[in-house]
Amino acid sequence: WTPKGRGVWRYASMLPLKSGVSLGEGQTPLVKSVLGEGLYVKFDGANPTGSFKDRGMALGVTVARESGANKVVVASTGNTAASAAAYAARAGLRCYVVLPRGNVARGKLVQAALHGAELVMVNGYFDKALEYVVNYGTRYAYPLNSFNPWRLEGQKTLAFEVYEELGCPDYVVVPVGNAGNISAIWKGFKELASLGLCNKLPKMIGVQAEGAAPLADAWERGLEEPLFVDEPRTVASAIKIGRPINWPKALRAVRESGGFFVKVSDGEIIKAQRLLATKDGLGAEPAGAASVAAALKLGLRGTVVAVVTGHALKDPDAVEVSAREVRNADELAELLER
Ligand code: F0G
């Protein structure tokens, strides 16, 4: 445990690789929230491409390059695509992103296009896009979805950053989609504990949206396996996933830690997004605000870290915008006087 420097490579002593591609990911703000006693927001929307995926891509793209690949491929609800596109560009690799048509927020599409990725659309949900990548994509290109273990090695660094600033909290609340990140963060905390640095491990709370809650639904009923959803529905398009590929790892993380899965409604997500923006000054995309929605709903005691996984600008269409018009300076003065 000898943190040094910037980017995920700050934690090289804890990683299976010692150096590699970086855009200065990580070291994101940990902000004390005004919304709840003991509540902290880990704002991973502040990463270079605006989501936590950058932590994992730094390692994933490094391994892709070192293994001699010249192409990478991902299925994505958008953030993985944006991040893969940027890191692949940096590493000089071609990037193919397979996206569910109509289910990707605008900001993310724009990023993938801007960074020069090849955009491929499939009709259906994320789960279909992932099936295509798993079945065929991996034969022709290096896959960078979260079944790639290097991705999770990068994403575990969030735990290290929380530890450096706060020690080990009582709870860590994480939005769950394809279910990689929650197990990555849990791995990070367990590694700290194995070095004797974290004497009480946090409970991991996995948050899903009501209409896309295969793990939370199963948890509620005490089932051992997820209740897969064929037609996921939620305003939080990033976690609009019916068949999370990493479910066994996520379930293990939640069980081992003594945590649980919970679901929140779209209304609760949008309300939390609003509160986070207007009270804490932090702009989250809906999926990112799901953790805050859950933290507020559960009213947990102790130190709680809600992981906000993506930036508000990712999904501009999720925000209602209203404006007043003034015809002259007097009308502006009148408005300001009120
Ligand atoms: N929050 C955001 C903003 C995400 O983009 C994702 C996943 C998650 C949470 C869930 O993380 O899948 O590790 O459980 N987005 C993926 C993508 C699926 O394609 O960008 P997870």
Side-chain angles (χ1 to χ4, degrees), residues 52-53 76-80 175-181 238-239 241 285 287 309:
F52 70 95
K53 308 286 180 178
S76 182
T77 55
N79 281 327
T80 298
V176 170
N178 212 21
N181 202 32
I239 52 172
I241 293 176
E285 65 170 290
T309 45

Side-chain angles (χ1 to χ4, degrees), residues 97-113:
V97 302
V98 186
L99 307 168
R101 188 192 301 285
N103 285 308
V104 178
R106 198 149 48 93
K108 307 174 189 182
L109 275 180
V110 168
Q111 288 181 289

Side-chain angles (χ1 to χ4, degrees), residues 29 34 106 134 152 155 158 165 192 237 257 260 268 281 283 317:
V34 302
R106 198 149 48 93
V134 169
L152 302 182
Q155 287 170 210
L158 184 141
E165 278 193 67
L192 289 168
S237 61
S257 72
F260 53 88
E268 289 168 330
D317 301 323

